[in-house]
Amino acid sequence: MAASTAVLLDVKGASRSFGGLKALSEVSLHINKGELIGLIGPNGAGKTTLFNLLTGVYPPSTGKILLNNESVGGMKPFKINHKGAARTFQNIRLFTAMTVLENVKIAFHQHARHSLFSSMLRLPKHFKGEEEITQKAMDILKIFSLADQAQETAGNLSYGNQRRLEIARALAAGPKLLLLDEPAAGMNPNETRDLMNLIAWIREEFDLTILLIEHDMSLVMGVCNRIYVLDRGVLIADGTPVEIRNNPKVIEAYLGQEA
Amino acid sequence: MKKLNTKFWLGIIVALAFYGLVQVLLTIGIFNDVTRSMLLLVGVNVMLAVSLNLINGITGQFSIGHAGFMSVGAYTSAILTLDYDVPFVLAIIAGGIVAAVFGVLIGMPTLRLNGDYLAIATLGFGEIIRIVLLNTEYVGGASGLSGIPAKTTWTIIFFFTLFTVILINNFIRSTHGRACLAIRENEIAAEAMGINTTLYKVIAFTIGALFAGMAGGLSAHTFYVITPGSFNFLKSFEILVMVVLGGLGSTAGSIVGAVFVTLLYTYLREFPEWRMIIYSIVLILMMIFRPSGLLGKTKINFGKLGKKEAKGNGSIDSSTP
Ligand SMILES: Nc1ncnc2c1ncn2[C@@H]1O[C@H](COP(=O)(O)OP(=O)(O)O)[C@@H](O)[C@H]1O
Ligand SMILES: [Mg+2]
């Protein structure tokens, strides 16, 4: 796996403006299959905006996004998800009134083989299809230690568990590329450590490529192969954690934020 | 799965027993005319409420033009039985299908709109249909169509209603219905998890229109006469009241709401102006004391109506992703 250098995601000069604000300018980056990449930068740097471009929430103003050599810039979000990129949201977006199990089942919908008609007429195919979805969804919940709460309403989960459920749901879509937007935000140090271990584990287990946003630099240092640094919409550095830690531009960007 | 089937068949048995009981009472002849037509109207209204609930309650798309689909089905089936001698049940189904085609055509452009804009667009659609009918000589203009054979019997209405409830409930309780629920819960997340939200909105709209069209056909064949005025905005509003009263998103609630509104309608038919006042008062009281409706947050479950679901409270959300 480590030897594989095929590029999974290739972003070429992507820009995005909102009115007069240039949220991203000419961002180019690439992620190889199997890598765990960190994307860091101060608040408002444009990290979430990049995720929104990658997942089709809005199209890039200019530039190209290639997923598995296929241009996905401007494609609808559900199509990009089918192509193999799934994400979580910085502001948790669960289906709060649905159960934990149903939340995960939604991501399996695209793999369902029973048609609308077989469901409405309750043909054998419906029962087989639903059974399969339930099985697979429960398997994912077990990995995230959420199986006991499968029938709980998602909105009633603790904050940490809601974050974990969002990752479980993204994983259920069967992605090649998993995009995590500040998955540890609001968690205590213990929860954060557990989560980072879990992320490292699912990456091996599911043969995933992961792009992880985090604005706390120290958190990603330990787990990431490489790190990209955004500041005010511009990519200011990329390299190994050690290189990033000693990069004067990065230090300045982060100090500038505190000043 | 086994358990679910048992419950389902138990529900069917209860429903059939109810059907048989009413049928016996009808045969004995203890119901007066008013009660008899009320029984038929209950069926029509249940079909309308359950189908609108799929669009408004389950998929979260605020549509207030349901009477428009009803009128398409009513006029189509009436013309088929009056002018073309098409067998009654086939004419009803054809009315539903034509209404569904309208559902697709109206849904594709309008379902891109959100909230208020969608409501205005669907309201506009209902009014346009009404005005077109009003000005079409072939369908009798303002005086409408009359002499429609009164072929809607208790047996017909019961089985159409039963099938409507079963088919829509089957839809809701499947991966396809969950896709619609996910749109209501969080459209951006649904789309990001691979749900073609536009497609599923159109599907919900189309299925809703299909059954509203059949309900329209059945009502046309109950009352001998249809006029464009029978399908005006107030009718759409009345269907909405049934759904909201019962609890948005609850099939069982929609049924209860439809029964309640039909009772009000029947016993206040001499005082139509009071009806609207009472609807409004009931709605206001409900928003104060029971904002989720009579059976809000409940799933219909034949044999075990009104299973409670906990209400979410840990929502962490904002408008931009
Ligand atoms: N939909 C939007 N409309 C207008 N401005 C936006 C929108 N999304 C993001 N922005 C702006 O773009 C900049 C980058 O935001 P964001 O990508 O959320 O930063 P980060 O995730 O790095 O904290 C911010 O100034 C933000 O206000
Ligand atoms: Mg962000």
Side-chain angles (χ1 to χ4, degrees):
Chain A
M1 190 198 81
S4 161
T5 50
V7 176
L8 180 62
L9 178 74
D10 199 0
V11 179
K12 294 177 172 171
S15 303
R16 175 73 208 194
S17 311
F18 297 107
L21 175 79
K22 202 137 201 212
L24 281 179
S25 31
E26 296 287 323
V27 170
S28 295
L29 55 82
H30 73 275
I31 301 177
N32 299 319
K33 281 195 178 117
E35 279 186 310
L36 200 172
I37 302 294
L39 176 63
I40 64 172
N43 265 323
K47 305 182 295 294
T48 299
T49 302
L50 179 63
F51 266 28
N52 286 341
L53 297 192
L54 297 180
T55 57
V57 175
Y58 22 74
S61 306
T62 61
K64 254 187 136 74
I65 298 168
L66 301 176
L67 181 65
N68 246 337
N69 293 321
E70 185 180 358
S71 172
V72 296
M75 225 180 236
K76 282 194 148 201
F78 82 91
K79 274 262 169 66
I80 296 180
N81 180 272
H82 294 186
K83 300 267 176 210
R87 74 177 286 183
T88 63
F89 295 90
Q90 182 176 355
N91 309 301
I92 301 175
R93 285 181 170 274
L94 289 172
F95 309 118
T96 40
M98 297 167 81
T99 66
V100 169
L101 182 63
E102 285 170 334
N103 266 268
V104 177
K105 281 178 169 184
I106 288 295
F108 279 117
H109 174 77
Q110 57 188 285
H111 307 297
R113 271 168 292 165
H114 53 299
S115 69
L116 190 82
F117 297 100
S118 69
S119 279
M120 284 182 88
L121 301 174
R122 284 294 186 263
L123 302 180
K125 264 198 143 170
H126 160 84
F127 292 104
K128 236 184 112 204
E130 291 288 326
E131 188 72 35
E132 212 175 290
I133 290 178
T134 309
Q135 266 316 321
K136 285 186 185 162
M138 282 307 294
D139 288 346
I140 298 261
L141 286 179
K142 275 178 203 142
I143 292 171
F144 285 80
S145 312
L146 287 167
D148 290 343
Q149 282 142 297
Q151 299 304 332
E152 181 67 75
T153 304
N156 289 344
L157 289 185
S158 71
Y159 183 80
N161 276 342
Q162 292 198 14
R163 284 232 172 263
R164 292 153 59 91
L165 176 56
E166 253 213 339
I167 301 173
R169 186 179 67 175
L171 197 58
K176 299 183 197 85
L177 176 66
L178 184 62
L179 304 159
L180 303 172
D181 196 345
E182 304 201 18
M187 286 187 177
N188 65 38
N190 273 341
E191 288 175 320
T192 304
R193 189 168 26 79
D194 289 350
L195 183 74
M196 289 302 159
N197 288 336
L198 184 63
I199 290 170
W201 187 82
I202 56 171
R203 172 192 171 202
E204 295 291 329
E205 186 71 14
F206 291 88
D207 204 7
L208 285 173
T209 306
I210 298 177
L211 179 58
L212 174 71
I213 290 182
E214 189 46 67
H215 82 269
D216 180 356
M217 208 169 23
S218 60
L219 219 127
V220 287
M221 290 297 168
V223 287
C224 293
N225 303 113
R226 291 188 293 125
I227 292 170
Y228 285 98
V229 188
L230 264 178
D231 185 29
R232 277 165 278 178
V234 181
L235 212 51
I236 56 165
D238 70 272
T240 63
V242 177
E243 288 166 353
I244 294 297
R245 204 197 312 266
N246 299 319
N247 186 317
K249 276 197 206 161
V250 178
I251 295 165
E252 199 192 303
Y254 270 83
L255 286 177
Q257 188 198 17
E258 276 156 36
Chain B
M1 200 177 98
K2 272 257 155 53
K3 217 168 143 197
L4 193 134
N5 266 344
T6 323
K7 270 184 199 162
F8 174 80
W9 289 113
L10 201 75
I12 296 286
I13 289 167
V14 171
L16 288 178
F18 174 70
Y19 160 74
L21 178 71
V22 172
Q23 186 60 41
V24 167
L25 295 177
L26 280 168
T27 316
I28 299 171
I30 53 172
F31 291 142
N32 58 17
D33 278 357
V34 172
T35 312
R36 274 205 304 272
S37 62
M38 186 181 75
L39 277 172
L40 303 183
L41 193 58
V42 165
V44 168
N45 281 341
V46 167
M47 287 174 74
L48 289 169
V50 169
S51 59
L52 182 65
N53 180 52
L54 176 60
I55 301 170
N56 283 17
I58 300 294
T59 318
Q61 303 304 302
F62 201 72
S63 165
I64 46 176
H66 221 45
F69 296 123
M70 194 190 171
S71 69
V72 170
Y75 274 84
T76 305
S77 62
I79 289 167
L80 288 178
T81 52
L82 277 176
D83 296 354
Y84 297 95
D85 286 324
V86 174
F88 173 57
V89 171
L90 279 185
I92 298 300
I93 292 169
I97 290 169
V98 174
V101 171
F102 272 75
V104 177
L105 296 178
I106 308 294
M108 288 211 291
T110 58
L111 289 169
R112 290 171 201 284
L113 304 170
N114 284 323
D116 302 345
Y117 297 104
L118 177 63
I120 291 165
T122 52
L123 176 67
F125 152 72
E127 287 302 288
I128 288 167
I129 293 264
R130 190 176 63 81
I131 288 161
V132 167
L133 290 170
L134 205 58
N135 292 291
T136 305
E137 209 51 57
Y138 179 64
V139 295
S143 53
L145 293 172
S146 57
I148 304 165
K151 288 190 171 167
T152 303
T153 60
W154 166 243
T155 302
I156 288 279
I157 199 82
F158 176 84
F159 284 101
F160 264 100
T161 307
L162 185 66
F163 284 127
T164 302
V165 173
I166 290 173
L167 291 177
I168 290 184
N169 208 41
N170 282 352
F171 173 83
I172 293 171
R173 293 162 65 103
S174 74
T175 191
H176 309 286
R178 278 196 301 273
C180 291
L181 270 172
I183 295 172
R184 178 192 78 181
E185 288 293 300
N186 196 317
E187 192 169 340
I188 288 173
E191 183 77 33
M193 289 302 120
I195 303 292
N196 185 346
T197 56
T198 310
L199 176 70
Y200 270 95
K201 283 189 214 172
V202 173
I203 286 174
F205 210 63
T206 305
I207 295 176
L210 173 74
F211 288 103
M214 292 200 270
L218 290 168
S219 93
H221 290 80
T222 306
F223 303 114
Y224 309 96
V225 182
I226 48 173
T227 63
S230 350
F231 310 103
N232 59 11
F233 167 67
L234 289 181
K235 183 63 198 179
S236 288
F237 180 67
E238 195 177 75
I239 307 168
L240 191 65
V241 170
M242 300 174 204
V243 175
V244 173
L245 200 64
L248 275 170
S250 159
T251 306
S254 297
I255 295 172
V256 172
V259 171
F260 180 82
V261 167
T262 312
L263 285 171
L264 265 188
Y265 179 90
T266 304
Y267 292 108
L268 290 175
R269 69 194 176 289
E270 311 287 345
F271 317 99
E273 64 279 11
W274 278 99
R275 235 164 52 212
M276 281 301 150
I277 293 171
I278 291 185
Y279 290 164
S280 310
I281 292 173
V282 168
L283 279 183
I284 290 166
L285 287 178
M286 226 189 51
M287 275 161 201
I288 296 170
F289 296 108
R290 231 188 128 69
S292 56
L294 292 174
L295 298 182
K297 299 282 166 197
T298 61
K299 282 179 181 168
I300 187 168
N301 214 331
F302 285 107
K304 190 186 171 198
L305 288 176
K307 185 178 146 237
K308 280 271 173 201
E309 263 186 293
K311 193 173 163 13
N313 59 10
S315 162
I316 300 154
D317 206 359
S318 79
S319 52
T320 45

